[in-house]
Amino acid sequence: MPKPVVAIPADFRTFDGNVWHATPHQYVRAAVEGSGVMTFLVPALETGNDADEILDRVDGVLVSGSRSNVHPSLYGKEASQNDGPFDPGRDATSLPLIRRALERGVPLLAICRGIQELNVALGGTLASEIQDMPGIWDHRKPDVPDLDMAYGIRQNVIVKEGSCLASVLGAGEVQVNSLHRQAISKAAPRLAVEAVAEDGTIEAVSVIDAKAFAVGVQWHPEYWVGRDGPSSTLFKAFGDAVRAYAASKAKA
Ligand SMILES: N[C@@H](CCC(=O)NCCCC(=O)O)C(=O)O
């Protein structure tokens, strides 16, 4: 059987004097080495991407993190200048792709911005600058030049007993990293909260009654795939779900 393919919605980025559709290498590496799949980067187009056309060609969806934030208008809020940076092309691509993947039972792993997009796609809301909220720690990306330090494992999350994530990682404490200024405020009705940080921040969700693997995490397991047990285990589980989906398609 051919190696399954996973779609990764890219970011619309400007650097080196040009405009790019870009995804950090860590997500591609984690998918290839940790999940054992091939990847298909989806350009961040405000118009022109068709979710079904994409999903007809892939066996899973990996929604990556990004410095940009989901536009507040997508969850019923006014945008203020400190809600940015924005990426309308990414929003216009990711949210319909997430909704359609869930409807079709295509396995989904959503990371950082990805869990926030999953929540908004299903009707939830986000809180901004959470570090300014009473009792909430600073979850932002550390201001250090070294990526291993920026993505360093530095916080404890508690995986809930009996959750989908617990069936993959085990229930209880997991050590993870943290690089975000926003978080889930109101969880969408179809989401089950599966892990929380010690300050109460929602750190993982799964989709209730999902037809296939459908998990979102606020931390960055992709960065430590191959070097950290829980990170590697999560991407292996995602890859197994993608292979099962691809095999079921082949039989249909
Ligand atoms: N923008 C959102 C999501 C954060 C996220 O995905 N971080 C990963 C990228 C980190 C970086 O390169 O800055 C938020 O801030 O909550």
Side-chain angles (χ1 to χ4, degrees):
M1 193 174 88
K3 192 168 276 194
V5 180
V6 165
I8 306 178
D11 291 353
F12 190 85
R13 295 292 301 269
T14 302
F15 50 84
D16 290 349
N18 210 328
V19 180
W20 306 71
H21 297 275
T23 291
H25 170 64
Q26 63 209 55
Y27 298 95
V28 175
R29 187 186 67 80
V32 170
E33 297 177 10
S35 300
V37 301
M38 287 174 59
T39 57
F40 155 35
L41 302 193
V42 182
L45 298 174
E46 289 190 62
T47 58
N49 274 329
D50 179 291
D52 277 311
E53 293 280 356
I54 294 165
L55 294 171
D56 286 347
R57 290 163 171 79
V58 302
D59 308 293
V61 177
L62 172 60
V63 193
S64 74
S66 173
R67 188 164 309 171
S68 69
N69 293 326
V70 180
H71 198 279
S73 63
L74 295 168
Y75 49 95
K77 279 177 69 176
E78 288 291 314
S80 72
Q81 72 277 6
N82 59 10
D83 284 331
F86 298 124
D87 185 345
R90 164 78 187 249
D91 290 340
T93 301
S94 278
L95 299 188
L97 190 64
I98 288 167
R99 292 187 192 103
R100 198 70 189 111
L102 293 173
E103 287 164 2
R104 293 179 51 161
V106 180
L108 173 76
L109 176 57
I111 293 173
C112 206
R113 192 194 208 264
I115 188 178
Q116 297 167 5
E117 289 170 298
L118 171 60
N119 186 51
V120 170
L122 296 183
T125 63
L126 305 178
S128 299
E129 303 312 326
I130 59 170
Q131 65 281 349
D132 298 338
M133 297 163 70
I136 302 299
W137 297 349
D138 190 345
H139 291 254
R140 288 175 295 184
K141 178 181 183 180
D143 184 12
V144 292
D146 176 88
L147 268 186
D148 278 4
M149 289 178 69
Y151 282 84
I153 288 176
R154 60 192 180 96
Q155 80 163 2
N156 215 20
V157 301
I158 315 297
V159 177
K160 292 189 178 177
E161 195 76 44
S163 63
C164 173
L165 198 59
S167 70
V168 176
L169 299 181
E173 289 188 5
V174 176
Q175 298 286 313
V176 300
N177 49 22
S178 185
L179 298 95
H180 60 106
R181 299 160 40 209
Q182 297 196 325
I184 291 174
S185 176
K186 179 172 73 69
R190 274 198 70 194
L191 293 183
V193 175
E194 299 226 328
V196 292
E198 288 169 334
D199 64 2
T201 300
I202 293 174
E203 290 284 342
V205 297
S206 70
V207 177
I208 297 166
D209 297 335
K211 297 174 184 172
F213 184 100
V215 170
V217 292
Q218 188 60 72
W219 69 88
H220 286 269
E222 83 289 347
Y223 189 83
W224 294 107
V225 162
R227 296 178 283 175
D228 166 67
S231 303
S232 305
T233 301
L234 184 56
F235 266 83
K236 169 74 167 57
F238 177 56
D240 290 345
V242 167
R243 275 179 288 280
Y245 176 78
S248 69
K249 269 196 333 185
K251 285 188 193 129

